[in-house]
Amino acid sequence: MRILGREDVRTALAGLDATVVDLVRNAYVLHGQGKSDLPFSTFLRPLHRSDSRIIALPAYLGGPAPVMGLKWISSFPENVKRGMQRASSLCILNDLESGYPLALMEGSQISAVRTAAGAALASGLLNAGREVRTVGLVGCGTINQRVVHFLDQVHEELETVLLQDAFPERAEVFAAELAAEYPHLSFRAAALGQVLTADTVSIATTDSSYWLDLADHPQRPHGQVVLHLSLRDLSVGSVLGAVNVVDDADHAIREQTSLHKAEQQAGHRRFVTAEIGALLDGTAELPADARTVVFSPFGLGVLDLAVAEAVLNAAEKAGLGTEAEGFDPGTHKVTSNLTGSAA
């Protein structure tokens, strides 16, 4: 089994941006066509930390390059106060013939990259050809940092990025860091109301209190695309008042997400217009004059595994990682001590 640590994964991901976007697009389409096996994620919550969780996401993705395995990801929001990353993750890939483990790799970078690539893909698709000159970021952490990276590639006309965070000083620092990395773009910390005037808004916070009511900000542009990546920021009214796109309705409408809250209040899930795979393959479409469009991706394990497979291939070609012995069950000799006689 090949083991890939943090630096191995970072090196293998370098230069794979276009590949990652294609893998995410293909995985969405294949999943939408029923060419996957995606059991519900299992949530493990420590009794003393109700805000924290570890999630197991087993998945199989079919198609021309099938892959199977497990994503194991933790989210401990209190880490941020200690100067640590909120999330940590592992990816395990299994052999399709034997089921034996092929690789174990650090997965938080894979999770962040595929989240951001999926968000940018959705922004390009849901803006339906409209120019995106301004992007608003709500939450100044790793995910939105990656989102900027991919939105910059999808929207070549992008000019300005507005940033808001629960801690304003974090937005100031984040703006300065991004400005140094993307000198062709303008970055500015701003109040929430101004951030929400952007053409596309990406919400990636550690909040789970359904605190944001879009109706409180009527100055938002018609047809605005909201990338609701953290799933529990928007109020029920915001969900019910929008055109909603998800990656998988059964997965996204559970575990007390904003969409789950909306279903509980409305008594139905007809407020979901389409899954993104159906939009990508043309079997569904948005209303011609869509109001606010909200993309709420649960984060399907098939995306992580598709990207993890590409990381593994790149790592093997570059000689990255360590081959570890002893992660298979070993040789099994079949013997028989059965005796009998024929009648």
Side-chain angles (χ1 to χ4, degrees):
M1 181 175 72
R2 187 172 291 263
I3 298 178
L4 302 176
R6 179 183 63 247
E7 294 305 318
D8 299 321
V9 173
R10 179 176 291 117
T11 301
L13 277 170
L16 288 183
D17 288 351
T19 299
V20 169
V21 173
D22 285 341
L23 288 170
V24 169
R25 178 188 294 107
N26 292 339
Y28 276 146
V29 171
L30 289 168
H31 176 66
Q33 295 173 346
K35 298 176 181 178
S36 66
D37 187 9
L38 199 64
F40 280 137
S41 306
T42 298
F43 285 67
L44 176 65
R45 293 183 173 89
L47 294 178
H48 68 294
R49 296 284 298 276
S50 61
D51 64 332
S52 302
R53 60 188 181 271
I54 305 178
I55 312 174
L57 296 91
Y60 165 83
L61 181 66
V67 61
M68 177 173 63
L70 174 75
K71 173 184 176 181
W72 178 248
I73 183 167
S74 72
S75 176
F76 279 56
E78 288 295 315
N79 285 352
V80 176
K81 296 179 181 178
R82 299 198 296 267
M84 301 167 62
Q85 291 284 349
R86 173 187 61 83
S88 63
S89 179
L90 293 173
C91 280
I92 300 172
L93 296 180
N94 293 79
D95 182 80
L96 290 164
E97 296 298 324
S98 67
Y100 286 7
L102 291 175
L104 171 69
M105 63 189 77
E106 196 281 322
S108 66
Q109 297 171 87
I110 292 170
S111 182
V113 164
R114 68 92 178 138
T115 299
L121 177 68
S123 181
L125 176 69
L126 303 178
N127 273 291
R130 290 188 298 268
E131 288 192 340
V132 174
R133 297 192 177 277
T134 58
V135 162
L137 304 181
V138 179
C140 296
T142 299
I143 297 299
N144 267 342
Q145 182 183 38
R146 297 280 191 169
V147 167
V148 169
H149 180 74
F150 281 95
L151 285 176
D152 184 40
Q153 299 176 53
V154 170
H155 298 296
E156 296 180 356
E157 69 279 8
L158 181 60
E159 297 172 348
T160 303
V161 180
L162 305 172
L163 304 91
Q164 187 271 344
D165 193 271
F167 300 94
E169 63 277 8
R170 186 181 296 164
E172 295 282 357
V173 172
F174 198 48
E177 292 175 347
L178 290 173
E181 188 173 356
Y182 304 94
H184 59 288
L185 298 177
S186 172
F187 294 90
R188 186 169 74 254
L192 178 64
Q194 188 174 5
V195 170
L196 291 176
T197 64
D199 300 318
T200 286
V201 175
S202 175
I203 307 173
T205 80
T206 58
D207 203 316
S208 298
S209 62
Y210 321 103
W211 61 279
L212 180 54
D213 193 335
L214 296 178
D216 291 339
H217 303 275
Q219 71 277 28
R220 295 178 304 103
H222 183 79
Q224 181 185 58
V225 172
V226 176
L227 307 171
H228 185 209
L229 305 182
S230 36
L231 288 177
R232 296 170 180 85
D233 291 282
L234 292 183
S235 66
V236 168
S238 297
V239 172
L240 296 178
V243 171
N244 291 281
V245 176
V246 298
D247 49 4
D248 182 291
D250 289 334
H251 287 261
I253 308 177
R254 63 189 297 261
E255 290 294 334
Q256 300 303 305
T257 64
S258 294
L259 281 81
H260 190 193
K261 289 284 192 180
E263 180 190 46
Q264 290 171 331
Q265 178 171 310
H268 61 78
R269 53 177 63 176
R270 294 191 296 274
F271 52 84
V272 173
T273 298
E275 295 182 349
I276 191 170
L279 293 174
L280 286 167
D281 72 5
T283 57
E285 59 183 23
L286 295 178
D289 186 28
R291 51 195 185 279
T292 301
V293 182
V294 173
F295 177 55
S296 298
F298 180 79
L300 305 179
V302 290
L303 308 182
D304 295 82
L305 297 187
V307 175
E309 175 108 354
V311 167
L312 177 61
N313 292 337
E316 289 177 336
K317 289 179 182 178
L320 300 170
T322 303
E323 284 292 334
E325 300 293 332
F327 284 89
D328 60 69
T331 303
H332 178 60
K333 295 181 179 180
V334 179
T335 59
S336 175
N337 60 2
L338 298 178
T339 60
S341 60

